Amino acid sequence: MGQFNIVLIGPPGSGKGTQAARICERHQVPMISTGDILRAAVKAGSPLGKQVQAIIATGGLVSDQMMVDLVAHRLAQDDARDGFVLDGFPRTVVQAEELDRMLDGRPFLAIVLVVPEAELERRLGARRICSQCRTLYTTGTLYGGSEEELCSSCGATLIRRDDDNIQTIRHRLLTYRQTAEPLIEHYQHRSALAVIDGMRSPEDVARGILDEITTNLTGVSRSLQG
Ligand code: AMP
């Protein structure tokens, strides 16, 4: 594990995936999305996938122990030697405490994206993902949209995530509301927290995040780039 360690916290639809991809491209560290890892396990029909399938479908949380094991294993891989951007982990204080242990005092920044719930429902209802390259889109269609849409970067078909339906969306938002506050307080106490207004354009949000990284992880990002 290295010196450029970032976690993105925020409700579903707040732009974590989009922003994580940008940071990773710029700083050459892996983007580790626990939701993506779990969905891949479900798709592959692995033992882990079978255990978590129903939880993801309803929008609840997978157990802390399972998530901590999964992330510890992923962070030990070679591509994470300079650092990482975590998207979707930690989601509970227990997970955050375990991550603190793994970090063992290394530089670290938690970024929280704040977006009102009405906007999150709108974004998630309109969210599409490229079936091949995983690029994220927000289309004009709300909760309907059976017409085929294609990825503008690779041409493959855009799909909806199974859990982007109104019932599961509302449960995921509720889950976030119930767990986020203590998690954010945890990082406030550690003075390793940046709060970003996620209602601005993706470019403006990215600029805000970049400023926070420069302020909080300055020496680190410079040495990685230089
Ligand atoms: P996401 O793609 O981050 O929205 O995650 C999709 C789903 O995966 C969530 O609704 C949870 O069921 C599960 N999940 C992902 N990350 C975690 C985590 N850190 N802790 C518990 N469950 C998680």
Side-chain angles (χ1 to χ4, degrees):
M1 209 182 287
Q3 305 288 302
F4 188 87
N5 306 310
I6 291 183
V7 306
L8 284 176
I9 299 170
S14 57
K16 298 190 298 292
T18 302
Q19 296 300 332
R22 283 176 183 241
I23 304 168
C24 290
E25 197 180 356
R26 189 181 172 103
H27 291 279
Q28 298 295 303
V29 290
M31 166 175 164
I32 301 176
S33 157
T34 47
D36 281 350
I37 296 172
L38 295 174
R39 276 185 293 277
V42 171
K43 201 169 167 201
S46 71
L48 171 71
K50 290 199 174 94
Q51 274 176 288
V52 302
Q53 191 162 20
I55 301 169
I56 295 179
T58 53
L61 290 185
V62 174
S63 78
D64 286 334
Q65 193 55 57
M66 259 187 187
M67 295 310 304
V68 168
D69 289 349
L70 186 149
V71 167
H73 182 257
R74 181 63 188 84
L75 294 186
Q77 286 174 25
D78 201 40
D79 65 341
R81 67 189 170 279
D82 290 335
F84 56 78
V85 177
L86 268 167
D87 157 20
F89 182 99
R91 265 176 156 96
T92 65
V93 172
V94 171
Q95 293 179 10
E97 286 169 351
E98 290 297 329
L99 182 63
D100 288 346
R101 261 190 277 281
M102 293 179 221
L103 282 164
D104 198 21
R106 291 182 183 86
F108 169 82
L109 180 64
I111 297 167
V112 183
L113 298 177
V114 180
V115 177
E117 284 211 5
E119 170 68 4
L120 297 169
E121 277 196 25
R122 190 195 68 77
R123 287 187 191 176
L124 292 167
R127 179 158 76 176
R128 300 291 182 277
I129 296 173
C130 174
S131 52
Q132 291 301 317
C133 71
R134 316 310 294 176
T135 300
L136 290 161
Y137 293 87
T138 304
T139 72
T141 344
L142 194 61
Y143 300 126
S146 57
E147 77 277 16
E148 191 164 280
E149 293 150 328
L150 300 176
C151 176
S152 58
S153 60
C154 78
T157 312
L158 301 188
I159 52 171
R160 289 182 68 151
R161 266 172 53 169
D162 288 343
D163 58 353
D164 280 347
N165 64 74
I166 186 65
Q167 234 175 340
T168 309
I169 287 170
R170 293 216 165 123
H171 192 219
R172 285 156 62 208
L173 292 175
L174 174 70
T175 304
Y176 182 77
R177 228 182 294 136
Q178 289 169 338
T179 51
E181 212 176 281
L183 183 63
I184 292 168
E185 270 170 24
H186 174 87
Y187 288 121
Q188 240 155 8
H189 288 143
R190 289 198 49 200
S191 307
L193 184 77
V195 180
I196 301 275
D197 173 9
M199 279 296 277
R200 295 173 295 164
S201 71
E203 290 69 31
D204 284 348
V205 173
R207 257 190 294 278
I209 290 177
L210 198 68
D211 286 349
E212 292 290 348
I213 291 174
T214 311
T215 309
N216 292 285
L217 290 174
T218 321
V220 175
S221 58
R222 220 182 274 134
S223 72
L224 277 180
Q225 279 168 357

